[in-house]
Amino acid sequence: MLSAGCSSGEEAYSLAILIQQCALDARWAIVIKGVDINPRALEKARLARYSLWALRETPEDIQKRYFATDGREHVLAKSIRDSVTFEEENLASDALWTADSYDVVFCRNVLMYFTPESAQRAVRRISRSLAPGGYLFLGHAENLRGLSQDFELCHTHGTFYYRRKAELEPNLVLRPVPSPASSAQPNLPLDWASSWLETVQRSSDRIRALTEKPISELARPPLSATASVAPDLSLALQLLAHERFGEALDVLQQLPPSSARDPDAVLLRAALLTHSGKLEDAERACTELLVLDGLSAGAHYLRALCRERSGNTRAAVEHAQTATYLDPGFAMPHLHLGLMARRTGDRVTAQRELEQAALLLQREDPSRLLLFGGGFNRDSLIALCRSELERFKEPT
Ligand SMILES: C[S@@+](CC[C@H](N)C(=O)[O-])C[C@H]1O[C@@H](n2cnc3c(N)ncnc32)[C@H](O)[C@@H]1O
């Protein structure tokens, strides 16, 4: 197990304590290593002396069992100290990363210091050094969108983490990570499929310019010319804007097979099917998209809508939470979570999610409102959040 960017050792020692507590089969050889670029942090890690503040979330029984007090400091038991090694390493260096070396890597709150390109390279090294099926844990506000397709997203106990796929694509070329300008929170750069955004944005602009024109007068792009991998989706998007879902689906159906399988086209198809109430087909399109891009926040959000409409609120909540995790700037899943929580009487969650949705909606990209807003514009969606929030002020 590797604690990458281990700082003063808290994470690596927590793993060692946990493993001792699990009383695993003695034949298991567990090796825990912490690496960091900062020698002073590593010195502190090796000393394993912590303040009471550092132990503020450590349960009392663990404190009693594994720490001895020395003045104001708490000294970790030797048996735990001896089970962890620390090394000075730069995560950007190749030396650390031999193939299949680790089963578990923790890399929490480290990638945020890297440029997007260095972060992509670091995650690529991590995926190569993990055994197939091995696990990667990031910080709670970090995700792998735009950084890697080597992992499956896992979710349990309110926590997201990643599992390395059995097969890695040998020389996958990732899309360049765009600047995180649209992200509402400091976070890893988010790849809101840049080509898609441009397509939708262009379309939104055209829609604005052509609001008075009937659809029949809109120029239909020559479909034969859209056989490239990145399809021209503008006509289908214009039809979506006019809530002509069936016609938009027909347009998508005429795309050549290579274009129809493009992730942007599949996302649009999934959205159109969801809006048309064809939930089973929409679910299938979401599955197709998640095979292409397991970290698609849009696919998880649409799946949340489908699950809720088919009465599976629990799965709906899980998918909407996944969408907000994968893209913290994405307003619609917050709104959806807020509405579901209000319906189940969870006032605290409802209020928190609706407030967050109202905030994010102010800056939500027009293209995303077009795709996921269910026909409502920004102002109507914000008004919906506000009116729902007002209801909390009414006496019950
Ligand atoms: C904010 S701390 C996170 C510590 C710990 N992972 C946690 O979540 O509590 C970031 C750590 O990453 C280390 N770090 C930053 N860049 C690094 C690099 N290129 N190689 C190794 N460590 C690095 C820093 O020295 C620092 O100790």
mmCIF file of all heavy atoms in Angstrom, residues 2 22 24 28 38 62 74 98 127 134 145 181 228 250 297 359 384 396:
data_model
loop_
_atom_site.group_PDB
_atom_site.id
_atom_site.type_symbol
_atom_site.label_atom_id
_atom_site.label_comp_id
_atom_site.label_asym_id
_atom_site.label_seq_id
_atom_site.Cartn_x
_atom_site.Cartn_y
_atom_site.Cartn_z
ATOM 1 N N LEU A 2 0.520 2.160 -0.847
ATOM 2 C CA LEU A 2 1.349 3.359 -0.973
ATOM 3 C C LEU A 2 0.553 4.588 -0.552
ATOM 4 O O LEU A 2 -0.569 4.791 -1.020
ATOM 5 C CB LEU A 2 1.806 3.523 -2.426
ATOM 6 C CG LEU A 2 2.633 4.775 -2.722
ATOM 7 C CD1 LEU A 2 4.021 4.684 -2.086
ATOM 8 C CD2 LEU A 2 2.765 4.998 -4.229
ATOM 9 N N CYS A 22 -7.615 -5.284 11.857
ATOM 10 C CA CYS A 22 -8.368 -6.269 11.060
ATOM 11 C C CYS A 22 -7.915 -7.692 11.352
ATOM 12 O O CYS A 22 -8.606 -8.640 10.963
ATOM 13 C CB CYS A 22 -8.178 -6.008 9.565
ATOM 14 S SG CYS A 22 -9.061 -4.576 9.008
ATOM 15 N N LEU A 24 -5.643 -9.693 10.024
ATOM 16 C CA LEU A 24 -5.692 -10.457 8.776
ATOM 17 C C LEU A 24 -4.905 -11.755 8.919
ATOM 18 O O LEU A 24 -4.103 -11.919 9.841
ATOM 19 C CB LEU A 24 -5.082 -9.621 7.645
ATOM 20 C CG LEU A 24 -5.799 -8.315 7.329
ATOM 21 C CD1 LEU A 24 -5.000 -7.507 6.313
ATOM 22 C CD2 LEU A 24 -7.198 -8.566 6.793
ATOM 23 N N TRP A 28 -0.498 -13.155 5.046
ATOM 24 C CA TRP A 28 -0.502 -11.977 4.170
ATOM 25 C C TRP A 28 0.720 -11.115 4.471
ATOM 26 O O TRP A 28 0.982 -10.787 5.631
ATOM 27 C CB TRP A 28 -1.750 -11.115 4.415
ATOM 28 C CG TRP A 28 -2.996 -11.639 3.770
ATOM 29 C CD1 TRP A 28 -3.356 -12.940 3.617
ATOM 30 C CD2 TRP A 28 -4.038 -10.862 3.207
ATOM 31 N NE1 TRP A 28 -4.566 -13.033 3.001
ATOM 32 C CE2 TRP A 28 -5.020 -11.762 2.723
ATOM 33 C CE3 TRP A 28 -4.270 -9.489 3.070
ATOM 34 C CZ2 TRP A 28 -6.189 -11.339 2.112
ATOM 35 C CZ3 TRP A 28 -5.434 -9.073 2.466
ATOM 36 C CH2 TRP A 28 -6.385 -9.987 1.987
ATOM 37 N N ASN A 38 8.966 16.222 0.327
ATOM 38 C CA ASN A 38 9.427 17.167 1.349
ATOM 39 C C ASN A 38 10.160 16.439 2.484
ATOM 40 O O ASN A 38 9.522 15.739 3.292
ATOM 41 C CB ASN A 38 8.185 17.912 1.878
ATOM 42 C CG ASN A 38 8.542 18.942 2.941
ATOM 43 O OD1 ASN A 38 9.657 18.944 3.472
ATOM 44 N ND2 ASN A 38 7.594 19.807 3.251
ATOM 45 N N ILE A 62 -8.659 3.978 20.102
ATOM 46 C CA ILE A 62 -7.435 3.870 19.282
ATOM 47 C C ILE A 62 -6.331 4.715 19.914
ATOM 48 O O ILE A 62 -5.169 4.293 19.985
ATOM 49 C CB ILE A 62 -7.705 4.356 17.833
ATOM 50 C CG1 ILE A 62 -8.818 3.545 17.192
ATOM 51 C CG2 ILE A 62 -6.439 4.375 16.992
ATOM 52 C CD1 ILE A 62 -8.394 2.311 16.460
ATOM 53 N N HIS A 74 1.784 13.071 21.484
ATOM 54 C CA HIS A 74 1.268 11.698 21.534
ATOM 55 C C HIS A 74 2.145 10.846 20.622
ATOM 56 O O HIS A 74 2.234 11.103 19.425
ATOM 57 C CB HIS A 74 -0.193 11.678 21.089
ATOM 58 C CG HIS A 74 -1.058 12.500 21.997
ATOM 59 N ND1 HIS A 74 -1.890 11.956 22.920
ATOM 60 C CD2 HIS A 74 -1.154 13.841 22.142
ATOM 61 C CE1 HIS A 74 -2.493 12.903 23.594
ATOM 62 N NE2 HIS A 74 -2.064 14.071 23.138
ATOM 63 N N THR A 98 7.097 1.068 -10.647
ATOM 64 C CA THR A 98 7.269 -0.146 -11.447
ATOM 65 C C THR A 98 5.914 -0.847 -11.549
ATOM 66 O O THR A 98 5.060 -0.715 -10.664
ATOM 67 C CB THR A 98 8.315 -1.081 -10.811
ATOM 68 O OG1 THR A 98 8.090 -1.104 -9.417
ATOM 69 C CG2 THR A 98 9.724 -0.594 -11.080
ATOM 70 N N SER A 127 -1.725 4.188 -12.327
ATOM 71 C CA SER A 127 -2.523 3.067 -12.846
ATOM 72 C C SER A 127 -1.617 1.934 -13.316
ATOM 73 O O SER A 127 -1.945 0.770 -13.138
ATOM 74 C CB SER A 127 -3.478 3.518 -13.955
ATOM 75 O OG SER A 127 -2.764 3.917 -15.095
ATOM 76 N N GLY A 134 -6.605 -3.134 -8.464
ATOM 77 C CA GLY A 134 -6.123 -2.372 -7.305
ATOM 78 C C GLY A 134 -6.891 -1.063 -7.133
ATOM 79 O O GLY A 134 -7.571 -0.606 -8.043
ATOM 80 N N ARG A 145 -11.941 12.924 -13.534
ATOM 81 C CA ARG A 145 -12.496 13.337 -14.834
ATOM 82 C C ARG A 145 -11.472 14.129 -15.619
ATOM 83 O O ARG A 145 -10.865 15.058 -15.118
ATOM 84 C CB ARG A 145 -13.748 14.182 -14.641
ATOM 85 C CG ARG A 145 -14.968 13.325 -14.478
ATOM 86 C CD ARG A 145 -16.214 14.160 -14.544
ATOM 87 N NE ARG A 145 -16.485 14.599 -15.886
ATOM 88 C CZ ARG A 145 -16.934 15.810 -16.193
ATOM 89 N NH1 ARG A 145 -17.135 16.696 -15.277
ATOM 90 N NH2 ARG A 145 -17.184 16.129 -17.437
ATOM 91 N N ALA A 181 -12.340 27.046 -15.596
ATOM 92 C CA ALA A 181 -13.019 28.311 -15.359
ATOM 93 C C ALA A 181 -14.464 28.124 -14.929
ATOM 94 O O ALA A 181 -14.984 28.883 -14.124
ATOM 95 C CB ALA A 181 -12.969 29.148 -16.631
ATOM 96 N N SER A 228 -17.202 11.865 -39.751
ATOM 97 C CA SER A 228 -16.013 11.899 -38.910
ATOM 98 C C SER A 228 -16.381 11.391 -37.519
ATOM 99 O O SER A 228 -17.550 11.255 -37.173
ATOM 100 C CB SER A 228 -15.501 13.329 -38.805
ATOM 101 O OG SER A 228 -16.469 14.092 -38.162
ATOM 102 N N ASP A 250 -34.458 11.213 -34.517
ATOM 103 C CA ASP A 250 -34.372 10.755 -35.920
ATOM 104 C C ASP A 250 -33.075 11.237 -36.554
ATOM 105 O O ASP A 250 -32.413 10.505 -37.282
ATOM 106 C CB ASP A 250 -35.557 11.292 -36.739
ATOM 107 C CG ASP A 250 -36.858 10.616 -36.326
ATOM 108 O OD1 ASP A 250 -36.779 9.542 -35.683
ATOM 109 O OD2 ASP A 250 -37.923 11.173 -36.644
ATOM 110 N N ALA A 297 -20.330 12.658 -15.877
ATOM 111 C CA ALA A 297 -21.300 13.172 -14.896
ATOM 112 C C ALA A 297 -22.689 13.237 -15.528
ATOM 113 O O ALA A 297 -23.702 12.971 -14.881
ATOM 114 C CB ALA A 297 -20.866 14.557 -14.420
ATOM 115 N N LEU A 359 -27.099 28.594 -6.365
ATOM 116 C CA LEU A 359 -25.802 29.268 -6.532
ATOM 117 C C LEU A 359 -25.148 28.863 -7.859
ATOM 118 O O LEU A 359 -24.710 29.708 -8.641
ATOM 119 C CB LEU A 359 -24.908 28.853 -5.356
ATOM 120 C CG LEU A 359 -23.661 29.650 -5.106
ATOM 121 C CD1 LEU A 359 -24.035 30.992 -4.498
ATOM 122 C CD2 LEU A 359 -22.748 28.885 -4.138
ATOM 123 N N LEU A 384 -37.384 28.250 -9.235
ATOM 124 C CA LEU A 384 -37.885 26.995 -8.649
ATOM 125 C C LEU A 384 -37.144 26.702 -7.337
ATOM 126 O O LEU A 384 -37.766 26.392 -6.318
ATOM 127 C CB LEU A 384 -37.682 25.844 -9.651
ATOM 128 C CG LEU A 384 -37.941 24.442 -9.130
ATOM 129 C CD1 LEU A 384 -39.403 24.259 -8.775
ATOM 130 C CD2 LEU A 384 -37.532 23.388 -10.177
ATOM 131 N N THR A 396 -44.678 24.734 9.857
ATOM 132 C CA THR A 396 -45.149 23.376 9.489
ATOM 133 C C THR A 396 -46.374 22.985 10.316
ATOM 134 O O THR A 396 -46.567 23.431 11.424
ATOM 135 C CB THR A 396 -44.035 22.337 9.733
ATOM 136 O OG1 THR A 396 -43.473 22.568 11.018
ATOM 137 C CG2 THR A 396 -42.992 22.424 8.647
#
